Amino acid sequence: MQISAEQPAMSKSKETTSIPSRDRCPLARGLESMAPLVRSVEETPDPIPTTITGRIPSWVNGSFLRNGPGKFEFGKDRYTHWFDGMAMMHRFHISDGDVTYSSRFLRSDSYIHNSEKNRIVVSEFGTVAMPDPCKNIFARFFSRFQIPKATDNASVNFVKYKGDYYVSTETNYMRRVDPQSLETKEKVDWTQYIAVNSATAHPHYSRDGATYNMGNSYGKGGFFYNIIRVPPPDETAAKADSPDFAGAEVICSIPAAEPRKPSYYHSFVMSENYIVFIEQPIKLDLLKFMLYRIQGKSFHKVMIWEPKYDTIFHLVNRHTGKVSKVRYRAAPMFTLHQINAYEDNGFLVMDMCCGDDGDSIGDFTLENLRKGSGEEMDKFYNSLCRNLPRRYVLPLTVDQKTPLDQNLVTLNSFKATATMTKPGEVYMTHEELHDDELLQYGGLEFPQINYEKHNGRPYRYFYSCGFGNVFSDSLLKMDVHTKELKVWRYPGLYPSEPVFVASPQATDEDDGVVMSVIITPREEKSTFLLVLDAKTFTELGRAEVPVNVPYGTHGVFNEMG
């Protein structure tokens, strides 16, 4: 379904004058350097044993899979941005209380071509590949006028389509992988299946086995945000050992409010019946994007934070692809990851990690991340945005009879508001989904829930990382009913995104364990897999492995591992 473009709205909200999230958190002093956590490491292709301390429950059987950058140079060439590092896959295989570890670099075209030339020949998010020095001066000059091909360096996440695992980034390419051997398999190009130029690394999964994602497309008709649906696997068909995207379709196309400056997005909202795309004021300057090769600028140079514009929430019925005619708006904000969303008596409740400064993405250069301990690191960290959990409540029954200029949110104890400011337009303010205690942990990111049972449904708990340093230095459990925190935090230890695994006999939402990979800049080869009791948030056991692991991005638990 396609709808017509709407005019972008300049922000007029009083919320923009409130205290920014960064200024609400205390200033850091004496931070240690993260340099050891962003250096190249060797792969461990053959599984090696770990040393178990404590006890890992025997019912936990499967593989904790992690992704992230693991190689930051080829020959004399160095990458500029943390996102540019070559994808490295990690596997902690857990069986009957024992754990083995293995890792492999993704054999992407980018990795292979760079390795063959022993220099960077494929451009990445923050690094532009330089012309081949072996070419003559004219060939080098004209090569700058060629638009570089998108990278297949899929270093962001593990995702699943029709039962197969893929590693994904934010281009049109993915790679199918074997979740047990970590072998790199086929390269998949979204453009060969549907009319999109890219897709996120954060799809959602419905209970019928379908996968939903967001992609974009652009052409003479403008710039569009597209909702993608990949159907469940055909259980009656013979399973072939190859990518299967039969039946993939674009169910909705939303035109950008500003065709020449579309918004950057990293994920989206999904409940049982709706999808919400958040058009935020982090803009991509398409003119610069087309010229960046000539100018020698990398992709992150064309991303602009423009808080003069409101945030727009596009509401879509995920069963029909129909877009609501109501325009939902809020003050300028920046979000990478949603926590959960659910429907409640005619409202859509949306919880997400939000900040007030979208300039931060471009700041994660390797030069900044490798700043020295103390004053240098303090200054960089204190300049960054802090993301905090917020709740927005979107009324689903707005029509011509809806009264103007009064709060439409009637859910008990909710502080978020939604007001129809004129016919067909609703302005929302958020509720802070935390108490002041969270501020001392630097805000939070990388939220995870009991996804299988509670995604798109009412829930009570989420798990995340606290950011008291540039990289996460604590694990947090938040009760969204009471806003109470449980915390795991030890000096010098830096946890990965937590993943919840439910107990087979679970009766409560938080019956299970939370897993995270812990690394440290203080000691060589001191990585361990941490397993917490999800209910009490206390340690059950750990599996120590004598390898260095760089700070990573996202991961999943594969129960079939």
Side-chain angles (χ1 to χ4, degrees):
M1 173 119 187
Q2 183 171 309
I3 63 173
S4 58
E6 60 182 76
Q7 292 299 313
M10 296 293 186
S11 176
K12 300 177 182 178
S13 169
K14 293 181 181 179
E15 283 182 284
T16 56
T17 61
S18 63
I19 301 174
S21 54
R22 173 176 55 217
D23 296 340
R24 295 175 59 201
C25 296
L27 292 175
R29 291 182 175 84
L31 295 178
E32 63 184 325
S33 174
M34 297 290 99
L37 306 186
V38 283
R39 64 182 177 186
S40 298
V41 299
E42 299 295 324
E43 63 183 359
T44 307
D46 297 320
I48 60 174
T50 64
T51 301
I52 305 296
T53 302
R55 183 184 65 86
I56 296 175
S58 59
W59 58 261
V60 181
N61 284 286
S63 295
F64 185 24
L65 304 173
R66 293 272 306 153
N67 199 353
K71 183 174 176 62
F72 300 98
E73 66 281 314
F74 284 93
K76 296 181 179 180
D77 290 356
R78 302 288 185 268
Y79 285 115
T80 300
H81 200 280
W82 177 50
F83 295 169
D84 301 340
M86 292 291 97
M88 190 177 205
M89 302 172 288
H90 308 266
R91 178 179 184 250
F92 288 86
H93 182 62
I94 307 164
S95 179
D96 296 323
D98 289 327
V99 181
T100 60
Y101 169 81
S102 57
S103 65
R104 280 191 174 187
F105 283 111
L106 179 70
R107 262 54 180 188
S108 61
D109 290 349
S110 298
Y111 179 90
I112 292 171
H113 293 158
N114 292 337
S115 298
E116 289 174 349
K117 298 291 186 180
N118 196 32
R119 65 183 187 88
I120 296 171
V121 298
V122 179
S123 295
E124 300 290 342
F125 175 78
T127 304
V128 176
M130 290 296 102
D132 188 343
C134 296
K135 292 181 178 179
N136 64 44
I137 187 171
F138 296 105
R140 292 201 303 271
F141 174 75
F142 284 112
S143 69
R144 285 191 173 275
F145 292 86
Q146 301 170 0
I147 299 297
K149 294 181 179 180
T151 180
D152 66 337
N153 176 37
S155 63
V156 178
N157 205 357
F158 280 85
V159 298
K160 209 171 184 180
Y161 293 96
K162 295 192 177 184
D164 285 337
Y165 274 101
Y166 298 79
V167 285
S168 180
T169 180
E170 295 187 327
T171 70
N172 56 302
Y173 293 120
M174 297 186 295
R175 279 282 185 167
R176 195 165 73 102
V177 295
D178 184 321
Q180 299 196 46
S181 68
L182 302 182
E183 176 190 358
T184 302
K185 305 183 106 173
E186 299 91 344
K187 180 179 178 179
V188 174
D189 182 352
W190 274 110
T191 65
Q192 301 303 305
Y193 299 96
I194 51 177
V196 297
N197 301 108
S198 67
T200 81
H202 288 288
H204 274 294
Y205 309 99
S206 63
R207 286 175 176 81
D208 66 356
T211 304
Y212 291 81
N213 207 339
M214 291 287 307
N216 59 52
S217 60
Y218 48 88
K220 293 182 180 179
F223 191 102
F224 294 88
Y225 312 108
N226 303 303
I227 298 175
I228 303 163
R229 180 181 183 271
V230 179
D234 184 351
E235 301 296 343
T236 64
K239 175 62 177 173
D241 187 21
S242 61
D244 179 9
F245 286 85
E249 61 180 335
V250 171
I251 65 171
C252 176
S253 292
I254 303 167
E258 285 193 274
R260 294 184 179 180
K261 285 188 178 181
S263 293
Y264 170 76
Y265 58 94
H266 187 71
S267 59
F268 61 99
V269 175
M270 190 172 90
S271 68
E272 289 194 301
N273 295 296
Y274 296 95
I275 285 174
V276 178
F277 169 64
I278 301 169
E279 193 170 10
Q280 57 190 358
I282 302 179
K283 301 294 185 178
L284 306 179
D285 190 320
L286 291 187
L287 179 60
K288 285 186 178 179
F289 179 73
M290 299 302 292
L291 296 175
Y292 86 113
R293 175 72 170 184
I294 301 171
Q295 297 171 341
K297 292 185 177 180
S298 56
F299 181 70
H300 79 287
K301 295 287 188 181
V302 303
M303 298 175 67
I304 308 166
W305 171 241
E306 294 197 347
K308 62 184 179 182
Y309 296 110
D310 278 342
T311 302
I312 304 172
F313 296 77
H314 298 277
L315 176 68
V316 181
N317 184 311
R318 75 174 176 93
H319 304 296
T320 66
K322 184 178 180 180
V323 184
S324 172
K325 295 180 180 179
V326 180
R327 295 188 177 104
Y328 299 92
R329 302 185 184 277
M333 62 86 167
F334 158 64
T335 182
L336 285 176
H337 301 112
Q338 280 69 55
I339 303 168
N340 198 12
Y342 61 91
E343 298 149 43
D344 187 355
N345 291 310
F347 296 91
L348 180 60
V349 180
M350 303 177 293
D351 298 342
M352 60 194 75
C353 299
C354 302
D356 301 311
D357 182 357
D359 281 331
S360 298
I361 292 179
D363 292 336
F364 277 70
T365 64
L366 291 169
E367 179 183 9
N368 283 334
L369 295 176
R370 291 168 175 165
K371 287 184 180 298
S373 299
E375 186 175 348
E376 281 190 5
M377 184 56 76
D378 294 350
K379 183 177 179 180
F380 173 52
Y381 170 79
N382 290 329
S383 72
L384 295 174
C385 177
R386 305 287 187 275
N387 284 3
L388 299 169
R390 293 177 180 172
R391 169 167 288 175
Y392 292 86
V393 179
L394 189 154
L396 297 170
T397 57
V398 176
D399 56 27
Q400 294 178 344
K401 298 180 181 179
T402 301
L404 294 173
D405 301 323
Q406 70 180 52
N407 183 17
L408 304 177
V409 179
T410 56
L411 298 175
N412 289 334
S413 75
F414 280 39
K415 297 179 181 178
T417 70
T419 305
M420 192 160 80
T421 55
K422 59 183 179 181
E425 186 161 307
V426 172
Y427 194 88
M428 301 183 296
T429 66
H430 64 267
E431 174 183 350
E432 298 288 357
L433 204 60
H434 64 90
D435 287 335
D436 286 348
E437 181 188 4
L438 174 62
L439 303 179
Q440 67 181 289
Y441 298 104
L444 58 80
E445 256 295 349
F446 295 149
Q448 291 283 322
I449 61 171
N450 182 339
Y451 191 94
E452 183 177 354
K453 296 294 185 183
H454 289 272
N455 183 57
R457 296 175 174 175
Y459 76 114
R460 182 164 184 172
Y461 304 107
F462 73 88
Y463 313 92
S464 63
C465 289
F467 277 79
N469 202 323
V470 172
F471 288 147
S472 50
D473 65 345
S474 62
L475 292 169
L476 308 174
K477 177 185 179 181
M478 174 71 78
D479 183 330
V480 298
H481 290 181
T482 65
K483 300 181 181 179
E484 293 177 344
L485 276 179
K486 286 186 169 66
V487 182
W488 185 94
R489 188 186 199 185
Y490 291 91
L493 299 183
Y494 295 85
S496 72
E497 171 190 64
V499 170
F500 174 85
V501 181
S503 166
Q505 285 80 40
T507 56
D508 295 332
E509 178 184 338
D510 58 350
D511 279 346
V513 298
V514 170
M515 297 182 186
S516 176
V517 177
I518 312 299
I519 56 179
T520 178
R522 299 184 180 185
E523 189 174 348
E524 286 288 302
K525 300 183 177 180
S526 298
T527 300
F528 62 91
L529 173 67
L530 174 69
V531 180
L532 300 177
D533 182 313
K535 190 176 287 289
T536 64
F537 224 54
T538 55
E539 181 173 340
L540 295 174
R542 62 178 64 181
E544 301 172 356
V545 57
V547 298
N548 290 321
V549 173
Y551 192 78
T553 47
H554 298 288
V556 297
F557 185 76
N558 176 24
E559 292 190 33
M560 301 303 291

